Amino acid sequence: MTTATDIAEAQLKMPAQREPSVERRLLHRTLKPLFGTPVNAIVTLACLWILWLAAKGAYGWLVTRAVTEGGAQACKVGHGACWPYYEAKLRFMIFGVYPYDEHWRVALAMILFLGAIGITMIPRFWNRNLLVLWSMTIVAAAILIWGGVFGLSYVPTTQWSGLPLSFLLSAVGLAFGFPLGVILALARSSKLPAIRVIAIVFIEVIRGVPLISILFMASVMLPLFMPSGITVDKLLRAQIAIVIFAAAYIAEAVRGGLQAIPRGQHEASSAMSLHYWQAMRLVVLPQALKIAIPPLVNISIGFFQDTTLVTIIGLLDFLSTVRTAMTDPNWVGIAVMEGYVFAAVVFLVFSYGMGAFSRFLERRMRLGLD
């Protein structure tokens, strides 16, 4: 008769089953969604095949069949990327008609601006010193681009063009449009009928027309209403139009975040004897902005890309300089793909950077590290 002691001794004599290693569990967890079922395996293999074809074609166009020496004639008979075109037209595509010998100024201004943005993205620098940093950056960038002081030659806004112009329009438009959008969102959520109606009318009118129409009105119609002898710079008119348009869309994104805040938060603010603006600043708005991060980033990416529309009012934005470079008689019909590929890469880098930062913010705020 088998006893419990015999069973225990038999189990001890059995070889112990080794648990899978961490690497094997991680590999299984990674591959299971890709090849766990026949359908998943087919889809994964099809995607890998498409990626392989795309990578192979891109490598062949950029490296294997690329033309690296010579000029337009060499690229004309080639079947790959025309690298001499970038050598000849890269500075024009980036800086446009800004004076050639002064390109270092606008390049330095962009480096300062991007550096300030990079520092702003680091959470440990989120304090009042950022206001000092941005004040200094804006003043330094304005002096470099505009000139007229410290021995720098004056460059009128009619010569501001290329990537710096697109970056300026989108960055300034969103920087000024964000606080205006927050105010409009609070006004639309107000209990005061007059303020709420004014905010609703403003937001719906601006969102009801395309950006092209607002740019056209700012460029063509606005001067007709100005007093005789008073003119407003074309770039400033376009910038104001973009600020107003951005504010209307940001207002709706922030209003969505405000509506998602439970009523208990408002009641808790009242219980703590906080008046309206204290409750909004300390309790409601921080939570609403957390919720509104995805749509706000989507708006930012869209407006950076929509700066290409300013070409209809005579401003030479980044995409316009890329197209203008293609009209050079020496390169017409030769380097068409190169310009658009460069523009696509630039837009992709900036857009992906903004999207990656938004995902970082969402993870940080989800963990309560703010």
Side-chain angles (χ1 to χ4, degrees):
M1 182 176 179
T2 305
T3 63
T5 304
D6 297 333
I7 296 176
E9 291 178 355
Q11 290 178 347
L12 291 174
K13 293 179 181 180
M14 293 177 61
Q17 295 183 356
R18 298 179 57 186
E19 293 186 359
S21 61
V22 176
E23 293 80 4
R24 181 168 295 183
R25 290 201 303 270
L26 181 61
L27 181 63
H28 175 74
R29 188 182 304 172
T30 304
L31 295 180
K32 184 176 180 180
L34 300 176
F35 300 96
T37 63
V39 175
N40 287 358
I42 293 173
V43 173
T44 300
L45 293 175
C47 292
L48 291 175
W49 180 66
I50 294 173
L51 290 175
W52 163 250
L53 291 180
K56 181 179 178 182
Y59 182 80
W61 186 75
L62 291 170
V63 180
T64 307
R65 302 189 306 273
V67 178
T68 57
E69 297 180 353
Q73 296 303 319
C75 293
K76 193 172 184 179
V77 298
H79 300 285
C82 180
W83 290 103
Y85 175 77
Y86 290 118
E87 183 179 354
K89 294 296 181 182
L90 183 61
R91 289 182 67 168
F92 180 82
M93 287 191 292
I94 295 177
F95 302 111
V97 296
Y98 199 89
Y100 189 86
D101 295 333
E102 307 294 335
H103 282 178
W104 66 271
R105 290 164 47 182
V106 70
L108 180 58
M110 286 192 63
I111 291 173
L112 291 175
F113 219 90
L114 292 174
I117 291 176
I119 294 175
T120 305
M121 289 181 174
I122 302 175
R124 67 175 180 174
F125 294 119
W126 291 353
N127 50 53
R128 294 182 179 181
N129 292 331
L130 280 179
L131 297 176
V132 179
L133 172 66
W134 274 105
S135 300
M136 296 174 60
T137 301
I138 292 172
V139 171
I143 292 174
L144 286 170
I145 298 176
W146 221 319
V149 293
F150 303 119
L152 299 175
S153 59
Y154 172 72
V155 180
T157 57
T158 54
Q159 294 182 325
W160 297 12
S161 53
L163 183 59
L165 178 63
S166 297
F167 190 74
L168 172 71
L169 290 172
S170 59
V172 175
L174 292 169
F176 284 92
F178 180 77
L180 180 58
V182 172
I183 294 173
L184 288 171
L186 294 176
R188 185 162 186 173
S189 303
S190 174
K191 297 180 180 179
L192 301 176
I195 295 178
R196 185 172 64 251
V197 169
I198 292 174
I200 291 174
V201 171
F202 178 86
I203 292 172
E204 295 303 328
V205 169
I206 297 299
R207 293 177 69 243
V209 295
L211 179 58
I212 292 179
S213 301
I214 297 179
L215 289 171
F216 184 79
M217 291 285 292
S219 177
V220 179
M221 301 299 295
L222 181 61
L224 300 179
F225 296 94
M226 299 297 293
S228 178
I230 298 179
T231 59
V232 181
D233 186 83
K234 182 187 293 186
L235 178 59
L236 180 59
R237 282 178 274 164
Q239 188 68 82
I240 293 174
I242 292 176
V243 168
I244 292 174
F245 197 76
Y249 279 85
I250 291 173
E252 287 300 282
V254 175
R255 187 172 69 92
L258 291 173
Q259 290 181 334
I261 303 301
R263 184 173 179 82
Q265 297 293 317
H266 297 271
E267 296 175 350
S269 302
S270 300
M272 296 175 64
S273 301
L274 298 178
H275 60 70
Y276 176 80
W277 291 110
Q278 287 179 326
M280 286 296 165
R281 182 172 61 89
L282 300 176
V283 180
V284 179
L285 266 181
Q287 300 180 69
L289 293 179
K290 289 181 185 179
I291 298 172
I293 285 177
L296 287 175
V297 173
N298 185 50
I299 291 171
S300 302
I301 294 174
F303 271 93
F304 176 65
Q305 298 171 354
D306 286 345
T307 55
T308 56
L309 297 175
V310 298
T311 186
I312 68 166
I313 59 174
L315 295 178
L316 206 61
D317 69 293
F318 174 54
L319 190 58
S320 297
T321 57
V322 171
R323 291 172 178 168
T324 304
M326 299 178 189
T327 61
D328 188 332
N330 297 323
W331 297 96
V332 171
I334 298 174
V336 178
M337 195 80 158
E338 286 77 0
Y340 287 118
V341 168
F342 176 67
V345 170
V346 170
F347 280 114
L348 176 63
V349 168
F350 279 97
S351 301
Y352 180 80
M354 287 186 282
F357 181 64
S358 74
R359 291 190 292 273
F360 163 75
L361 279 182
E362 289 182 57
R363 289 194 299 270
R364 178 182 176 83
M365 292 179 176
R366 191 182 305 120
L367 293 175
L369 299 177
D370 57 326

